Amino acid sequence: MNDLASAAVPGRTPYDGSVVRAALRRAAPALLAYAAIRLLGIVTLALWSTADGKNWHTLLAARWDALWYTRVAEQGYGYTVALPNGEVHSNLAFFPLLPWLERGLSALTTLSPADAGLLVAWLTSLGAAWALYATGERLHGPRAGVALAALWAALPVGIVQSMAYSEALFTALAAWSLYAVLAGRWLWAGALASLAGLTRPVGAAVVAAVWLTAAVTLWRERAGGAGLCAGLRRHPGMLSGVLLAPLGWCGFFLWVGARQGSFTGYLDVQEGWGNGFDGGIAFGSFVWHQLSGPTFAAGLALVVGVGLVIWLHVHGVRQGQPLPLAVYGGAVLLLALTAKGYFGSKPRLMLPAYPLLLPLAVALTRGRPVWTWLVVGAAAVGSAVYGAFWLNGSGPP
């Protein structure tokens, strides 16, 4: 059991600074690899943007959703935009933790809320990379941990991790929450899940992972002859963690409902953006439209991409992926594929589904290190070029 995990169990290594420093030293190669890949992406974006007559900083900190988060930080909730097509875009669609952090940092420093959001994204993306390393190390060894963090950095839409968006913050909270579940730190798992639920709607996936893992753990205890109370005693903090986990997500959902005067107020707000969940009908229609028209090649690539991510999830489950990771990854994937709205944002919505990358990380550890880094390097270059092209074009809405 590694240092972080042993520190999480009562009666084992005390949770002190030396434990954290030792864990950080082990994670250093992963953090350096992650930072190098993301730096390559930012430098490529800066060069591309300069050639295109645009400002790379504006693309990262002050476009699309970043503007909405900044407006919440500066003015609070209540801002709406009515579009000619009848849609009403309300900033109640955006969960509050990122704008709270932007407001707090800008009050304590000379940073603007937009730059504070950028700083939060950069710092929490490193926190997410550390959590991914710790997860890969715990399950498959240090090389798998480094590969997992590097692959997440080198995703085609990895540039979003460096934007003033909430994906990096959410992934850090979700990944550490699930790591805490693996380590038996139920109270930490619940607290971090609650914070993740204040960050993005998909925080419900973290809650599902905590709850289902707790339920299965107690069921196994009962199958072994232990009663409910005995099972809870064997897993300190489980009940508190389970009760804490949904508070963030449910709290914001209910608050928006009260503000809107309807229990389904948050869903109504999302409907105003043209978003919501329809079981994948709208997405299926979009794919069919691509396949049946002049954009057949794009439609075929889309089908292959969806098939790949589904295969990665199934393959991970078959490899024995721990229950919290399997539940979380599957839930994020399901929510992304069954949501309607702007379909170009689906790769971004799947960005926090890091367990999908575990089979690839494990596969990379089976070859020689030089081949591992050639693959990661090629992916990093592709991610940097695509990210620069993407943000200077349509970008993530």
Side-chain angles (χ1 to χ4, degrees), residues 1 20-21 31 40 68 84 109 136 169-170 198 250 254 264 267 274 301 308 327 333 345 397:
M1 183 180 291
V20 175
R21 286 192 294 272
L31 296 180
L40 175 64
W68 286 89
T109 66
L169 173 62
F170 174 80
L198 282 172
C250 289
L254 294 174
T264 61
L267 300 179
L308 175 61
V327 170
L333 183 58
S345 64

Side-chain angles (χ1 to χ4, degrees), residues 100-112:
W100 285 349
L101 293 174
E102 290 178 340
R103 181 184 300 175
L105 275 175
S106 62
L108 294 173
T109 66
T110 58
L111 293 174
S112 67

Side-chain angles (χ1 to χ4, degrees), residues 131-188:
L132 267 59
Y133 168 80
T135 301
E137 178 198 36
R138 179 182 181 86
L139 298 177
H140 303 288
R143 282 188 63 190
V146 174
L148 182 59
L151 286 173
W152 190 65
L155 286 172
V157 293
I159 190 66
V160 175
Q161 300 164 23
S162 302
M163 298 177 67
Y165 272 43
S166 60
E167 276 78 5
L169 173 62
F170 174 80
T171 305
L173 293 169
W176 279 117
S177 175
L178 298 184
Y179 182 85
V181 172
L182 295 175
R185 281 288 285 238
W186 289 99
L187 190 58
W188 274 106

Side-chain angles (χ1 to χ4, degrees), residues 11-392:
R12 304 247 178 119
T13 306
Y15 193 79
D16 56 23
S18 63
V19 171
V20 175
R21 286 192 294 272
L24 185 57
R25 281 195 297 270
R26 292 200 314 277
L31 296 180
L32 289 173
Y34 177 85
I37 293 170
R38 295 297 346 120
L39 180 61
L40 175 64
I42 294 173
V43 170
T44 303
L45 173 66
L47 295 174
W48 191 303
S49 301
T50 300
D52 205 33
K54 298 178 181 178
N55 186 298
W56 67 272
H57 178 267
T58 300
L59 293 177
L60 292 177
R63 291 188 71 186
W64 302 296
D65 288 5
L67 289 174
W68 286 89
Y69 282 118
T70 298
R71 187 172 285 113
V72 173
E74 293 175 336
Q75 303 173 12
Y77 285 105
Y79 179 82
T80 60
V81 175
L83 302 184
N85 64 0
E87 290 184 353
V88 178
H89 291 185
S90 168
N91 65 359
L92 287 169
F94 295 89
F95 276 54
L97 186 56
L98 176 58
W100 285 349
L101 293 174
E102 290 178 340
R103 181 184 300 175
L105 275 175
S106 62
L108 294 173
T109 66
T110 58
L111 293 174
S112 67
D115 285 335
L118 206 56
L119 179 61
V120 169
W122 289 5
L123 291 178
T124 57
S125 67
L126 285 170
W130 187 2
L132 267 59
Y133 168 80
T135 301
E137 178 198 36
R138 179 182 181 86
L139 298 177
H140 303 288
R143 282 188 63 190
V146 174
L148 182 59
L151 286 173
W152 190 65
L155 286 172
V157 293
I159 190 66
V160 175
Q161 300 164 23
S162 302
M163 298 177 67
Y165 272 43
S166 60
E167 276 78 5
L169 173 62
F170 174 80
T171 305
L173 293 169
W176 279 117
S177 175
L178 298 184
Y179 182 85
V181 172
L182 295 175
R185 281 288 285 238
W186 289 99
L187 190 58
W188 274 106
L192 291 166
S194 186
L195 289 174
L198 282 172
T199 308
R200 293 189 61 79
V202 76
V206 190
V207 178
V210 173
W211 277 14
L212 283 175
T213 305
V216 170
T217 300
L218 291 177
W219 178 80
R220 289 173 177 168
E221 291 284 359
R222 183 177 180 182
L228 177 61
C229 293
L232 289 173
R233 284 196 297 270
R234 292 182 183 181
H235 301 279
M238 177 182 284
L239 181 59
S240 298
V242 166
L243 294 175
L244 273 175
L247 292 185
W249 190 92
C250 289
F252 185 68
F253 185 93
L254 294 174
W255 179 79
V256 174
R259 186 182 176 108
Q260 296 294 96
S262 168
F263 178 75
T264 61
Y266 183 77
L267 300 179
D268 298 337
V269 168
Q270 286 286 5
E271 191 66 32
W273 281 79
N275 296 328
F277 298 95
D278 62 0
I281 296 174
F283 184 51
S285 299
F286 174 78
V287 173
W288 176 251
H289 177 74
Q290 298 291 311
L291 291 172
S292 60
T295 56
F296 173 80
L300 183 61
L302 183 58
V303 171
V304 171
V306 171
L308 175 61
V309 295
I310 293 175
W311 178 84
L312 285 172
H313 175 63
V314 173
H315 188 61
V317 172
R318 287 179 174 175
Q319 282 186 332
Q321 195 169 97
L323 182 62
L325 299 183
V327 170
Y328 168 77
V332 173
L333 183 58
L334 179 66
L335 292 172
L337 294 180
T338 59
K340 58 182 179 179
Y342 181 69
F343 301 109
S345 64
K346 289 195 180 293
R348 176 172 66 86
L349 297 179
M350 289 187 281
L351 185 66
Y354 67 92
L356 300 179
L357 298 174
L358 261 175
L360 296 178
V362 173
L364 286 176
T365 64
R366 293 172 181 161
R368 297 172 59 186
V370 64
W371 290 110
T372 298
W373 289 112
L374 283 175
V375 171
V376 171
V381 171
S383 173
V385 173
Y386 181 75
F389 167 78
W390 196 37
L391 287 197
N392 279 279

